[in-house]
Amino acid sequence: MFTYLIALTIFIAGILHFVATPERLVANTLLGIFFALLGIVQVAYAYLLTRRSTRPLLLFGILFNTGLLVLWLLTQTLPHLAGSSREPLTVLSGLRKALELITVELLLSQL
């Protein structure tokens, strides 16, 4: 049952990446594509996690989501990494990051 909670947190983060994709596509095509790919990976990961939560899959989730959090922190502190400006700080972006952080915490507790 705990695995479904983890899958739900990452699934919602993926859906929120899809929600943000059109706005990002308008601002920067590559960033929009990146957001769409993030959404795909997160939704697919949630599905795989509900089918079989193996140790390598848990480790992938920890590394992937930690990487997203680090990348986000870098683009907030070093805006030139993301092009000309930082990602806007919105309720949705904060929610995505919170869900990714919760996912990492929950995955770590499963190891």
Side-chain angles (χ1 to χ4, degrees), residues 18-39:
F18 287 134
V19 168
T21 296
E23 180 184 337
R24 298 306 185 277
L25 278 169
V26 170
N28 181 323
T29 304
L30 288 177
L31 190 58
I33 292 169
F34 181 67
F35 267 61
L37 290 173
L38 289 179

Side-chain angles (χ1 to χ4, degrees), residues 6 12 14 24 35 39 41 47 52 55-56 61 65-66 74 80 85 92-93 95 98 102 105-106:
I6 300 169
I12 295 170
R24 298 306 185 277
F35 267 61
V41 170
Y47 173 77
R52 190 169 189 200
R55 185 173 176 83
N65 287 289
T66 301
L74 288 173
H80 64 279
S85 64
L92 288 180
S93 68
L95 184 56
I102 291 167
E105 300 268 338
L106 293 173

Side-chain angles (χ1 to χ4, degrees), residues 4-75:
Y4 289 100
L5 175 62
I6 300 169
L8 181 63
T9 61
I10 195 62
F11 178 81
I12 295 170
I15 295 301
L16 292 176
H17 273 109
F18 287 134
V19 168
T21 296
E23 180 184 337
R24 298 306 185 277
L25 278 169
V26 170
N28 181 323
T29 304
L30 288 177
L31 190 58
I33 292 169
F34 181 67
F35 267 61
L37 290 173
L38 289 179
I40 290 168
V41 170
Q42 288 176 319
V43 168
Y45 180 81
Y47 173 77
L48 290 173
L49 196 60
T50 62
R51 296 292 159 230
R52 190 169 189 200
S53 62
T54 62
R55 185 173 176 83
L57 191 61
L58 296 175
L59 289 171
F60 172 80
I62 291 167
L63 293 174
F64 182 78
N65 287 289
T66 301
L68 289 180
L69 291 164
V70 169
L71 180 61
W72 181 79
L73 284 172
L74 288 173
T75 60

